[in-house]
Every structure is written in structure tokens, then in C-alpha cells.
């Protein structure tokens, strides 16, 4: 048995609309109105289904599962090889620089918290208020400047330039920015923001949680210092994430977790204490037994997306985006949320509100009456969604609240999101469902349970 023979046979069978095969594509769910339909998973921005290929690779490896970096046995060595090879695959996927480190974490949130814990002393951090909470919150112990929401990509660059020009020019600084918004799907001008950061002696970390599943991400081309993303949004839902980028801050920082795996040598001192020599490599921040299946599944997804080709993935997704946006544009009661306007380049993440509807009610009806899974709420980006909705900071949407009276502002939004595994039929059904719900109303009664709208019976 060798590493190369562990991977499953790779024959890609797309559906007739070109979607990549994912788990759950044949799952049916009951409708309150009777009967069953194939589940339309349109919440990829939260978690995307596993690619069939990822699942097959994991299943092929599972019998050979063993401890990583610990055992002398054959399967331990095989697992260690797979884990380290996964690191190299991610390195290639992200087009890292020589000397960059790839650290396996639990998620994007974990990756950004790891970087926050590795900031040099007195580091200033700059982050737009529009970020997902995973990018907005980890820096609170640093000297953080929150930047106001820009209304164009150019304004984002100008805002950052101004803030950096006013900073203490001698200390270290970090900019944290998302590649694609988890609310609007809009792409941020990452390359230009990176150039601005570097011109002012700052570094930049890219939150690629929503970008990496939809677009190629090249560390070198974008010239970012670090990239963070999550496996479960990249069709590899096995509990792993990645922080990749410059080694120096990571090498100089205290280990994120203290324990075995991170330590090279531990000795008792004469005074009774303990001295530790930590690893300089990525292992420094990976203490404990690593999630080899998580890392392996991320590598499998990276390979599958690369082999499929992002040109094809992007082209297909743009077709789905056009279908959804054109469908929503035909319903005057629907308002799509946008920071940068209709022409902004975007990925398959679209949030909207429906006049006269509570968003939770609308999402519940999509699920119960059409078998469509979307998300409603503020999407862990409270400041951004409130800015887009124009609602007060203390406002909190609630199912059944009379927020949806015509002319009133919604307090929550609905988000539909999709990707490489989404068949055309799912987005077509979604567009039809929106049209019918707005025109005819819900066919069922709903009530509030635990803060969520659910079918009354
Ligand atoms: C833009 C963005 N960043 C970070 C995260 C956090 O990802 P995770 O929950 O996998 O840590 C998300 C999750 O939705 C996201 O959309």
C-alpha cells in the first residue's frame, strides 16, 4: 500500500446541467403540502455538501487510518505521509511562496484566531466593519481600527489608504479582509488592498472562506501574506481548516495550543520547572493529534476543484447567479442586498428581503412547501446586514414580528447560496418558489418555536 493507491478511482459524473456530484443529491424531504421532493441545498455559504469524490477518497483511506507523527507502524507512517502530502497539496492549491507555512486548523474562525494570537507586540489591526464575525472579532486584544463600510471597491481602498497613512508608521500592522462577502457574495478588491497594505508597511490576511470554493486563490498573485479558509465550505466537511502564509510571525509566536506534537524537546530544570523547545514548523501550532481525515479531505477537494478547472466552475456558477438574479428582479417586492451595486463581480451568495414578509417565515415556507434549504438572519455579519437593511443596531428580527408590514424595513434577511454541486433545477425551483410565495402567499400556517418559524402542524 502506498499513498498514491489510497485515493479512490476518480471518474467524475456530472448531472445533465454540469453540477459536480455531491453527497445528498438524491435525498428527498417531505413537504407539508404532501409528497416528497429532492432536497435543494441552497445554503452552500454556511456549509457545502461533500463532493462525492472527497467522500470516496476518505472512504478509501479510512481502513488505513492511523496516528500521525506518532507511530512506528506502517499505517501510522502512511497516515503521516498523507497528512504531510495534504499540506503540500494545499500549498499548491493556494500557490504559496517558498517558505510559506500551511497550518491545519479547525476552521476559518480557528485560523484567524490563531493569527490573532500570533500578532507581534503592539500590532495595529485594520478591519472593515463589513466582515464576518470570524474576521471582525479575533483582534479585540490588539490595537484594532474598525473601518466604515465602503460603497464601492475603490472607496474600500481609499478608506484603507487613509487609515494606514494615519497609523503609527513604525510598529507592525495587519489588515484583515474578506475575499467574497458571505452576505452579498460581492468580491472585494483584494489585490489593491494588499498593495495599499504593503505600501504602508502593513501585512494582510485574506479571509477566503467564501472565495476559495468559487475562485482560484493565488497567494502570490494577490500578494497577500496569509490566507484562511474552511474545509466544510470547500466540499470537505470533516472538521478542518487552513491558515497558510508567512512563517515568521507564526514561528516567533507562542504555540496556539501547548502540548505534544508542538514540542520538539521537553526537559525538567534543576529548579523543578520545565523547559520546552517548540517546533519552528507548522507543527508548532498543531499540538495534539491532528485531524488527518479533515486534512486529507481538504486536499482531496483542492485536487478535485483544480482538476475540474476554475474556468468551468466560475462559468457555470455565473450562469446560476444570472438565473437567480434575473428571477428575483422580476418580483418587485424583492430587494437584493448589495454594497457595491448590481455590476459588482460576485460569487453564488445572494441575500434579499421580501416586502410584506418576515424573512424567517419566508425561509420556513421555502423549506416546508418547496424542499429548499436557505438561511435567514444576520449571517454572523451583524453590522453589515444592519447597514444594508438600514436597521438600528439594537433591532433584532424575530419570527412572527409585524416587521413585514408593507413599507417597513425587514430586520433579518434571507440568503440563498450555491456552488459547483448545484443543479440548475435547484435554482429554477427557488426562483419559481419566490414568485409563487409572493404572488399567492404561503399555503400553510407557521408558528414561532425557539425563535424560529416552523410549520404550525
Ligand atoms: C466570510 C466568512 N469568514 C469566516 C467564516 C467562518 O467560517 P467557519 O465557521 O468555518 O469558521 C465564514 C462562515 O460562514 C464566512 O462566511
Amino acid at each position: 500500500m502506498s499513498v498514491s493507491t489510497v485515493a479512490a478511482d476518480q471518474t467524475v459524473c456530472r448531472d445533465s446541467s454540469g453540477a459536480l456530484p455531491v453527497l445528498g443529491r438524491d435525498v428527498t424531504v417531505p413537504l407539508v403540502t404532501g409528497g416528497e421532493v429532492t432536497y435543494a441545498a441552497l445554503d452552500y455559504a454556511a456549509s457545502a455538501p461533500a463532493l462525492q469524490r472527497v467522500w470516496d477518497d476518505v472512504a478509501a483511506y479510512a481502513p488505513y487510518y492511523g496516528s500521525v507523527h506518532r507511530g512506528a507502524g506502517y499505517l501510522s507512517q502512511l497516515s503521516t505521509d498523507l497528512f504531510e502530502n495534504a499540506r503540500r497539496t494545499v500549498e499548491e492549491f493556494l500557490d504559496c511562496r517558498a517558505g510559506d507555512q500551511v497550518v491545519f486548523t479547525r476552521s476559518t474562525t480557528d485560523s484567524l484566531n490563531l493569527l490573532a494570537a500570533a500578532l507581534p507586540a503592539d500590532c495595529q489591526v485594520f478591519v472593515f466593519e463589513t466582515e464576518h464575525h470570524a474576521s471582525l472579532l479575533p483582534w479585540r486584544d490588539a490595537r484594532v481600527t474598525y473601518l466604515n463600510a465602503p460603497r464601492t471597491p475603490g472607496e474600500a481602498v481609499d478608506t484603507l489608504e487613509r487609515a494606514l497613512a494615519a497609523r503609527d508608521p513604525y510598529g507592525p500592522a495587519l489588515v484583515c479582509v474578506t475575499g467574497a462577502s458571505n452576505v452579498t457574495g460581492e468580491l472585494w478588491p483584494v489585490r489593491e488592498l494588499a498593495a495599499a497594505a504593503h505600501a504602508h508597511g502593513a501585512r494582510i490576511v485574506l479571509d477566503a472562506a467564501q472565495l476559495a470554493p468559487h475562485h482560484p486563490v493565488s497567494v502570490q498573485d494577490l500578494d497577500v501574506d496569509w490566507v484562511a479558509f474552511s474545509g466544510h465550505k470547500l466540499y470537505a466537511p470533516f472538521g478542518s481548516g487552513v491558515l497558510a502564509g508567512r512563517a515568521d510571525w507564526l514561528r516567533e509566536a507562542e504555540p496556539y495550543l501547548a502540548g505534544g506534537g508542538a514540542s520538539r524537546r521537553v526537559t525538567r530544570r534543576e529548579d523543578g520547572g520545565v523547559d520546552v523547545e517548540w517546533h519552528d514548523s507548522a507543527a508548532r501550532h498543531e499540538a495534539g493529534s491532528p485531524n488527518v481525515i479533515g486534512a486529507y479531505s481538504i486536499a482531496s477537494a483542492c485536487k478535485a476543484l483544480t482538476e475540474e478547472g476554475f474556468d468551468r466552475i466560475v462559468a457555470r456558477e455565473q450562469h446560476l447567479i444570472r438565473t437567480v438574479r434575473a428571477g428575483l428582479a422580476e418580483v418587485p417586492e424583492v430587494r437584493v442586498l448589495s454594497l457595491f451595486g448590481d455590476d459588482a463581480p460576485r460569487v453564488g451568495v445572494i441575500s434579499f428581503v421580501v416586502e410584506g414578509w418576515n424573512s424567517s417565515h419566508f425561509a420556513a415556507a421555502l423549506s416546508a412547501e418547496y424542499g429548499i434549504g436557505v438561511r435567514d438572519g444576520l449571517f454572523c455579519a451583524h453590522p453589515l446586514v444592519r447597514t444594508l437593511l438600514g436597521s438600528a443596531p439594537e433591532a433584532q428580527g424575530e419570527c412572527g414580528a409585524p416587521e413585514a408590514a408593507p413599507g417597513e424595513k425587514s430586520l433579518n434577511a434571507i440568503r440563498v447560496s450555491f456552488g459547483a454541486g448545484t443543479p440548475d433545477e435547484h435554482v429554477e425551483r427557488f426562483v419559481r418558489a419566490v414568485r409563487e410565495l409572493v404572488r399567492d402567499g404561503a399555503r400553510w400556517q407557521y408558528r414561532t418555536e425557539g425563535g424560529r418559524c416552523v410549520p404550525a402542524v
Side-chain angles (χ1 to χ4, degrees):
M1 173 60 51
S2 71
V3 173
S4 58
T5 55
V6 167
D9 179 28
Q10 309 300 344
T11 327
V12 176
C13 297
R14 291 181 195 85
D15 84 338
S16 57
S17 68
L20 284 181
V22 289
L23 291 192
R25 60 190 179 280
D26 298 324
V27 165
T28 58
V29 290
L31 301 180
V32 282
T33 45
E36 297 215 335
V37 283
T38 318
Y39 184 64
L42 293 180
D43 196 10
Y44 274 44
S47 283
L51 281 174
Q52 183 69 51
R53 147 115 185 237
V54 169
W55 182 256
D56 292 345
D57 277 350
V58 167
Y61 162 60
Y64 305 99
Y65 175 82
S67 62
V68 170
H69 295 148
R70 282 164 174 74
Y74 193 89
L75 297 193
S76 281
Q77 294 189 20
L78 180 77
S79 292
T80 303
D81 276 358
L82 286 180
F83 187 70
E84 291 305 328
N85 281 350
R87 221 191 280 287
R88 282 193 282 280
T89 302
V90 171
E91 221 172 86
E92 278 168 30
F93 181 72
L94 295 176
D95 187 26
C96 289
R97 294 161 291 247
D100 279 351
Q101 282 186 353
V102 171
V103 183
F104 283 113
T105 63
R106 289 175 298 182
S107 60
T108 309
T109 305
D110 200 29
S111 299
L112 294 172
N113 275 276
L114 158 57
L115 189 60
L119 295 180
D122 272 339
C123 189
Q124 299 170 79
V125 178
F126 298 83
V127 56
F128 285 93
E129 65 175 3
T130 45
E131 293 290 328
H132 186 281
H133 296 170
S135 309
L136 193 69
L137 302 180
W139 325 105
R140 285 169 309 147
D141 291 341
R143 296 161 58 199
V144 54
T145 304
Y146 296 103
L147 307 171
N148 290 340
R151 296 313 296 222
T152 64
E155 196 184 320
V157 180
D158 292 345
T159 303
L160 180 65
E161 289 265 12
R162 268 197 306 278
L164 289 171
R167 87 177 180 95
D168 158 12
Y170 299 110
L174 177 75
V175 176
C176 176
V177 71
T178 190
S181 165
N182 71 308
V183 177
T184 66
E186 290 161 343
L187 301 185
W188 277 64
V190 176
R191 197 178 288 106
E192 292 78 3
L193 292 168
H198 293 150
H200 290 274
R203 292 188 173 191
I204 185 165
V205 55
L206 171 64
D207 170 353
Q210 300 294 351
L211 187 64
H214 304 275
H215 268 269
V217 174
S218 162
V219 166
Q220 299 194 63
D221 180 39
L222 295 172
D223 196 17
V224 291
D225 297 282
W226 291 276
V227 172
F229 71 84
S230 302
H232 70 104
K233 296 185 198 292
L234 194 88
Y235 313 102
F238 292 91
S240 256
V242 163
L243 177 69
R246 301 213 182 268
D248 51 358
W249 286 9
L250 299 175
R251 208 168 36 220
E252 284 149 28
E254 284 294 302
Y256 188 42
L257 292 173
S263 46
R264 187 187 294 134
R265 192 176 133 89
V266 180
T267 43
R268 285 298 302 273
R269 283 195 308 261
E270 283 193 357
D271 67 3
V274 170
D275 279 331
V276 188
E277 236 178 72
W278 302 106
H279 281 295
D280 291 334
S281 61
R284 183 182 190 86
H285 297 293
E286 291 174 346
S289 298
N291 177 357
V292 56
I293 290 199
Y296 184 56
S297 68
I298 285 185
S300 164
C302 291
K303 282 185 195 155
L305 295 178
T306 305
E307 282 162 24
E308 174 68 3
F310 272 101
D311 286 351
R312 189 204 287 257
I313 290 170
V314 170
R316 226 195 128 256
E317 188 174 313
Q318 291 303 314
H319 155 73
L320 298 176
I321 293 172
R322 280 192 297 276
T323 304
V324 173
R325 285 178 61 86
L328 293 179
E330 281 175 9
V331 184
E333 289 83 354
V334 167
R335 178 163 75 89
V336 172
L337 304 185
S338 166
L339 203 53
F340 296 157
D342 282 348
D343 297 333
R346 60 190 76 236
V347 298
V349 179
I350 297 168
S351 298
F352 61 99
V353 287
V354 186
E355 194 184 318
W357 281 82
N358 175 294
S359 292
S360 175
H361 184 190
F362 201 86
L366 284 172
S367 169
E369 300 178 30
Y370 294 89
I372 296 171
V374 297
R375 182 164 170 199
D376 63 280
L378 300 173
F379 318 129
C380 298
H382 294 185
L384 171 59
V385 179
R386 290 205 186 99
T387 297
L388 295 173
L389 294 177
S391 47
E394 66 281 6
Q396 187 68 47
E398 199 190 317
C399 179
E403 58 144 315
E408 280 190 12
K409 285 177 183 146
S410 280
L411 300 175
N412 280 337
I414 305 150
R415 181 180 74 187
V416 57
S417 54
F418 40 84
T422 307
D424 286 1
E425 190 275 324
H426 288 187
V427 297
E428 287 161 5
R429 192 191 323 169
F430 167 78
V431 166
R432 176 171 57 82
V434 171
R435 210 169 34 231
E436 287 178 4
L437 284 172
V438 172
R439 189 188 59 208
D440 307 332
R443 284 169 289 168
W444 207 256
Q445 292 294 314
Y446 295 84
R447 64 185 167 81
T448 311
E449 191 179 284
R452 294 209 56 77
C453 245
V454 292
V457 181

